[in-house]
Amino acid sequence: MNKVKIAGRKVFPIGLGTWTMGDKADNFEQEVEAIRVALDHGVQVIDTAEMYGDGNAERLVAHAIKPYNREELFLISKVLPSNASKKQLPISLENSLKRLKTDYLDLYLLHWKGNIPIEETIEALEKVKSEGKIKSWGVSNLDVDDLEKIMKLPDGIKCASNQVRYNLGDRGIEFDLVPMMNKLEMPLIAYAPVARGDSLGTNLTKQKVLKEIAEKHHSDTFQILLAWCICNGQTIAIPQSSNTAHVIDNVKAAKIRLTQQDLEQLDSIYPKPSMKQPLALW
């Protein structure tokens, strides 16, 4: 299993997303257990955001990580575009740090592009980075033209990552965004790597080829989808699950080595993009 280099660190390629987690009090203990099981099995990256449950996901994460060595974790949170100004970003960050009960974030992302000029957002990010409140910063849901603009700015090259939707059924970014990020040596953080339990309309779990490949590797379809997502060595997948058994299965997917034949078979049913496609969102 190859670790992925991000912001100067090497981390386990499968992390944990927390969208929709922390919203229901009845699920709190189960969700805490799921996060802790993930960490006990080697997961380092936990992804959250101020938007998730209006801070509830961050509060949940804080409770879950309390027994663990903070320095071994890689915490990501995201600032809303409307809060990404020089004045408001430091306030948003401070609130996230308080909810997470930590002194710093390993990575702080602009959640998506908004109306505040990216130059101002980067200036604000660089300031909180200089203060030690974040180790690195990046973006989310940004396409090639936005990244190109960032790279032309004085501190643009310090953008540590881009988090976008990516799975076998959503391969549009392979046409131009992934090659650009590879050239920049910028790792991809893939959300919805198993298409939200195959709920995004591409019918992944019904594919005979996927089932056959899963059987060959003594795994299930979702594990193959995760193994495919991270096989380039430059992607961190952040599936979200509150089910401890699913969490363990997700972690085990990092050990699966897909063969060239496997990859060619998957390409035959879900081919690489041959033209520019709109960025898949949410």
Side-chain angles (χ1 to χ4, degrees):
M1 185 277 304
N2 295 322
K3 290 197 170 187
V4 178
K5 189 174 182 181
I6 182 168
R9 284 183 62 185
K10 289 187 176 180
V11 299
F12 192 76
I14 292 175
L16 188 70
T18 61
W19 185 52
T20 74
M21 294 177 76
D23 284 347
K24 297 179 181 177
D26 291 348
N27 298 339
F28 189 84
E29 291 304 324
Q30 181 186 343
E31 290 171 342
V32 166
E33 183 186 5
I35 294 172
R36 290 179 176 173
V37 164
L39 298 177
D40 290 342
H41 284 78
V43 166
Q44 294 167 276
V45 176
I46 300 178
D47 178 85
T48 189
E50 66 174 351
M51 186 189 81
Y52 297 168
D54 197 23
N56 284 337
E58 290 176 328
R59 294 184 187 96
L60 173 77
V61 170
H63 187 81
I65 66 174
K66 196 173 181 181
Y68 296 85
N69 182 345
R70 171 67 184 89
E71 293 181 4
E72 292 179 3
L73 307 180
F74 193 94
L75 289 187
I76 303 172
S77 194
K78 299 185 278 294
V79 61
L80 284 163
S82 55
N83 291 334
S85 63
K86 282 193 288 185
K87 181 180 179 181
Q88 188 59 40
L89 185 143
I91 297 170
S92 276
L93 173 60
E94 204 61 47
N95 289 336
S96 285
L97 293 176
K98 284 177 182 176
R99 288 189 291 264
L100 285 162
K101 297 182 179 177
T102 186
D103 295 328
Y104 68 95
L105 292 175
D106 295 282
L107 180 61
Y108 197 36
L109 305 178
L110 173 65
H111 209 150
W112 66 88
K113 183 172 68 171
N115 295 324
I116 293 166
I118 191 66
E119 295 89 340
E120 180 177 345
T121 298
I122 292 175
E123 185 180 340
L125 289 165
E126 278 295 310
K127 188 172 189 299
V128 293
K129 182 181 172 184
S130 71
E131 294 167 351
K133 294 178 180 178
I134 64 172
K135 299 284 189 181
S136 61
W137 60 266
V139 294
S140 181
N141 297 304
L142 263 58
D143 208 345
V144 170
D145 54 347
D146 299 309
L147 271 190
E148 284 177 344
K149 182 178 179 182
I150 288 172
M151 288 304 126
K152 290 175 182 175
L153 299 174
D155 290 313
I157 197 67
K158 296 175 184 176
C159 181
S161 187
N162 186 17
Q163 182 180 131
V164 296
R165 192 170 109 185
Y166 181 55
N167 57 66
L168 185 61
D170 281 317
R171 300 184 65 172
I173 61 171
E174 290 181 30
F175 182 74
D176 51 0
L177 184 58
V178 169
M180 179 189 183
M181 290 176 63
N182 288 345
K183 191 175 179 181
L184 293 167
E185 297 184 349
M186 182 188 294
L188 167 70
I189 302 172
Y191 70 80
V194 296
R196 300 217 168 88
D198 197 24
S199 67
L200 296 177
T202 44
N203 296 318
L204 296 159
T205 52
K206 294 181 180 178
Q207 291 294 339
K208 184 183 176 185
V209 169
L210 256 171
K211 292 178 182 177
E212 290 172 351
I213 292 172
E215 287 175 11
K216 185 175 83 172
H217 289 278
H218 308 289
S219 65
D220 63 32
T221 301
F222 293 116
Q223 288 176 305
I224 296 301
L225 293 176
L226 281 173
W228 176 88
C229 192
I230 64 171
C231 69
N232 64 5
Q234 293 173 298
T235 302
I236 299 166
I238 50 167
Q240 185 270 328
S241 180
S242 303
N243 182 305
T244 53
H246 289 169
V247 168
I248 294 170
D249 285 345
N250 289 345
V251 172
K252 288 180 178 177
K255 295 181 179 179
I256 297 172
R257 291 287 171 269
L258 297 176
T259 66
Q260 189 60 39
Q261 182 185 16
D262 294 336
L263 295 172
E264 288 171 2
Q265 285 181 297
L266 294 173
D267 285 346
S268 71
I269 51 172
Y270 292 99
K272 297 177 183 179
S274 58
M275 64 182 68
K276 173 73 179 172
Q277 296 179 17
L279 197 66
L281 297 172
W282 322 122

